[in-house]
Amino acid sequence: LAEPFANDAALARVGRVDADWIVARALRGAADGGLDDEQHHISTYWRELTRVNADKQRADAYLDARLQGQPAANGGFIPDCFFTAAAALHLGPISTAARFVELLKRILRFRGDIERIEQTPELLTPAQRAGLPMVLQRWRDQLLGMEREKCALDAQLLDPRRLAASMVFYRFVMAVLLRQIDGRRAFPQQAFQMPAEDGGDQQVPEHWRMLPEFLVEDTVEFVVFVITYAPDTLIDGAAQVGQGGETGLRTFDDILPLFVVTFLARPDFISNPYLKAKLVDILHMLTYRDPREDDDYVDTLGGNLPGSLRLHPSIQRFQCALDDSALARAYLIPALLRFYVDVEQTGASSQFYDKFNIRYYIARTLRALWARAPRYVEATRRFFMQTD
């Protein structure tokens, strides 16, 4: 149902998606003419969701105030289909993709444990060695079961047509999210205007705060999944939809760079530091450069890297998109440098090592950009000269 308006090159229906729809569904039950049942499962679902930039207390206070005051918009067919499709993808494919990634890690660890025990049986006691063949056979059966599950998930999650259709939908999601914070609220019919940053957290509009966090999280997680396991989808003509310029914004060349740069440059709009770190992951993967080209490269793999790395065409294409983007030229370098410092103030103490990873990815991204064009080096110099 969402495909006709999501697959529109001009994104003409983006303005029909009202963030107030969430309020309407959270407050409207069967007695008000909604589709909810007597136990209010639907309204409870939309009410209890994690918000993109509001805790539960603030969200409940906002909903209670709206219940007593201005009525929420009833929405219509397009917002109904949009939010329902987004929720379905959140509960289905996106959740399954996370399970798929964890399964791959389990298979790798399990296979490594079996190989290690097979190669070093002398480390076991005589009693353990006596029962080793039976134990190994049991483990191989478990590994075979996990590999069969992986094959079943491969057939579903890595289907090119399904991935392209999902990419088209998340193109629409990114456009909707960008429109909510656009300075003119007119994107994509007009060029995107970066919101001001003078007000800090106070500038974040209330309608944005109340959006479900999964809209941003699922978009980021899907892009990371596609980059990692099916990068051909990024540059697939069926997933691009638009042709650029007046013929419609392209998914990979226009909207994705704008989405990543905007929310890195305006971090106050997203409260979850994990999502900001994932945006850095996307940048790192799509600006990847052979680390051996750096002056301070240290070989930690014992020379096991091939003579030269073959990078996916999407990397060069994304870097060209950043070069062509006026917003990226103006905001990307300052955003990365600020986040490099701000990451120390985000997350729990248990994420100590994650902060090193984030900073490593930022440093690798900066190095790739500096090596690509002098303008990025000059932008770095200007940032430090203008920063107190």
Side-chain angles (χ1 to χ4, degrees), residues 382-388:
R382 283 199 305 271
F383 174 81
F384 286 115
M385 291 177 64
Q386 297 170 2
T387 303
D388 296 333

Side-chain angles (χ1 to χ4, degrees), residues 235 240 250-258 261 283 286-287 313-329 332 369 372 375-376:
I235 54 178
Q240 284 284 68
R250 296 161 294 180
T251 307
F252 184 68
D253 300 78
D254 299 316
I255 296 182
L256 180 59
L258 177 59
V261 171
L283 269 179
L286 290 178
T287 58
S314 61
I315 294 177
Q316 174 66 19
R317 189 159 163 177
F318 186 82
Q319 291 176 340
C320 290
L322 289 179
D323 293 342
D324 295 339
S325 170
L327 283 175
R329 293 195 297 270
L332 180 55
L369 294 173
R372 181 169 180 82
R375 71 165 69 97
Y376 295 113

Side-chain angles (χ1 to χ4, degrees), residues 110 114 131-146:
F110 211 70
I114 293 175
L132 183 59
M134 184 181 300
V135 172
L136 285 176
Q137 185 57 47
R138 188 186 311 130
W139 287 352
R140 291 191 189 99
D141 291 342
Q142 293 179 12
L143 179 60
L144 181 60
M146 288 189 285

Side-chain angles (χ1 to χ4, degrees), residues 64-313:
D64 291 341
R66 291 296 303 273
L67 184 62
Q68 304 298 327
Q70 178 186 358
N74 288 327
F77 178 77
I78 289 179
D80 281 352
C81 288
F82 171 77
F83 285 106
T84 304
L89 287 170
H90 173 66
L91 298 172
I94 300 299
S95 176
T96 306
R99 174 184 160 194
F100 175 79
V101 173
E102 287 303 314
L103 179 62
L104 293 181
K105 294 178 182 177
R106 284 170 49 208
I107 290 174
L108 186 63
R109 288 195 299 265
F110 211 70
R111 185 182 292 127
D113 290 343
I114 293 175
E115 292 175 354
R116 186 168 56 254
I117 292 176
E118 285 179 329
Q119 294 170 2
T120 57
E122 66 276 4
L123 299 179
L124 303 176
T125 65
Q128 290 173 329
R129 284 199 296 272
L132 183 59
M134 184 181 300
V135 172
L136 285 176
Q137 185 57 47
R138 188 186 311 130
W139 287 352
R140 291 191 189 99
D141 291 342
Q142 293 179 12
L143 179 60
L144 181 60
M146 288 189 285
E147 289 174 339
R148 287 172 176 169
E149 182 182 358
K150 174 189 173 297
C151 289
L153 292 174
D154 278 346
Q156 293 294 318
L157 293 174
L158 302 182
D159 177 14
R161 290 172 299 178
R162 181 169 295 186
L163 286 172
S166 298
M167 195 74 189
V168 168
F169 180 77
Y170 282 112
R171 167 184 181 262
F172 191 86
V173 173
M174 286 187 280
V176 168
L177 294 173
L178 288 168
R179 185 184 180 92
Q180 301 304 315
I181 66 171
D182 177 25
R184 290 184 287 258
R185 293 291 298 275
F187 180 82
Q189 282 67 43
Q190 296 183 30
F192 181 81
Q193 184 181 80
M194 186 71 73
E197 62 177 342
D198 299 337
D201 183 66
Q202 301 301 318
Q203 69 168 339
V204 181
E206 209 67 19
H207 70 269
W208 167 265
R209 294 181 185 275
M210 295 302 127
L211 284 172
E213 186 181 73
F214 75 73
L215 287 178
V216 181
E217 182 178 14
D218 289 358
T219 302
V220 172
E221 291 288 1
F222 178 76
V223 172
V224 170
F225 179 84
V226 168
I227 294 172
T228 307
Y229 300 104
D232 288 346
T233 304
L234 297 170
I235 54 178
D236 184 353
Q240 284 284 68
V241 184
Q243 300 296 322
E246 295 181 357
T247 59
L249 297 176
R250 296 161 294 180
T251 307
F252 184 68
D253 300 78
D254 299 316
I255 296 182
L256 180 59
L258 177 59
F259 180 84
V260 172
V261 171
T262 297
F263 287 105
L264 278 176
R266 295 294 180 264
D268 290 330
F269 282 86
I270 300 176
S271 60
N272 187 346
Y274 167 80
L275 294 183
K276 302 172 191 176
K278 280 293 183 179
L279 293 173
V280 173
D281 283 354
I282 292 174
L283 269 179
H284 173 248
M285 289 187 285
L286 290 178
T287 58
Y288 189 81
R289 180 170 174 260
D290 191 335
R292 291 170 295 183
E293 298 178 7
D294 291 338
D295 296 335
D296 59 351
Y297 170 70
V298 177
D299 184 5
T300 60
L301 299 177
N304 290 329
L305 282 174
S308 61
L309 296 179
R310 293 183 60 188
L311 302 181
H312 193 270

